[in-house]
Amino acid sequence: EEVLFHFASKLESLKDWPDKMIIMELTAFTEASISIAPHFVNIVVERLVNSKTNSAYKLPLFYLIDSIMKHVGGPYAALFGKLLSDIYTYALHDIHEKDCQKLDFLLNTWEERKLLPNELILRMKSHLGNRAVPIAAVRTVPNLVPRVIEPMSTSSSLSSNQYARSASSSINVPTQQQSFQSIDSNFRLTAAYADMVKSEMVNFLNQMYREMNVTNPLSLEELATANPQLLDKIRLKAEEN
């Protein structure tokens, strides 16, 4: 219960910006306690489709799903795929227009790595261009989320922390000390991976500047403000390298 409670609490802090450290920490949770993977997936997807979730928070949630599937692997792609196949229309219907290109690029990487079925990815990409979903239906989305573990007794009015408590009621969860020792170890590995990706991004950026004879190059931090789409492409290229 402690693991899911802390995961849900940390998830609440992931808002309209895909904060790297928060995503890394959440990913470390899912890796350290992979035996309860279905419960992590349910918590993330519940937040993604809940009508109370700010639409600006959705792209960072997709980045979290991306991080978990790529950096942890295991059962997560299948679990996320099972839920997304039934609720992707509700997850995508109010994505901000400015985020559609980023999400489409993310879906391309999932397709290339075969993380989700091609048919599902094509349907998701197609739906990005036509996201009209009746408001009345959206308000009932939490009740439509299929469970990857049964039984699960929770209502749409539960907060993510309350949901975490109910989700853990039928499973054996490691003690808090065991969990956080494991998380700390995995987090150090994840942090090292992030440093490696950042180094690759710097290399790609410098190479691009040299090829284009740029005299006043921007740093990664400056590029994040000036051209976030380009930064996303560089990040994904670095991760694939």
Side-chain angles (χ1 to χ4, degrees), residues 103-199:
L103 183 54
D104 185 72
F105 191 81
L106 198 66
L107 292 173
N108 285 338
T109 70
W110 293 1
E111 184 176 18
E112 290 170 3
R113 298 193 181 194
K114 302 186 186 304
L115 294 175
L116 297 179
N118 282 344
E119 181 185 357
L120 171 58
I121 292 176
L122 290 175
R123 281 189 281 134
M124 291 177 69
K125 293 177 70 174
S126 175
H127 192 74
L128 279 176
N130 181 20
R131 301 186 301 283
V133 175
I135 296 300
V138 175
R139 287 173 180 159
T140 63
V141 166
N143 296 323
L144 299 178
V145 179
R147 305 294 182 189
V148 294
I149 271 193
E150 296 292 351
M152 278 247 193
S153 56
T154 150
S155 70
S156 60
S157 61
L158 289 179
S159 69
S160 59
N161 291 346
Q162 291 171 317
Y163 176 79
R165 293 190 180 95
S166 68
S168 64
S169 60
S170 61
I171 56 177
N172 294 320
V173 181
T175 66
Q176 183 178 13
Q177 182 178 2
Q178 290 172 332
S179 298
F180 279 92
Q181 285 176 345
S182 180
I183 289 168
D184 181 62
S185 174
N186 281 281
F187 184 75
R188 286 197 296 270
L189 291 174
T190 310
Y193 176 83
D195 289 340
M196 181 181 68
V197 170
K198 183 175 182 179
S199 177

Side-chain angles (χ1 to χ4, degrees), residues 206-214:
N206 288 338
Q207 180 182 350
M208 183 185 72
Y209 287 147
R210 287 194 298 270
E211 292 174 352
M212 299 175 63
N213 295 319
V214 175

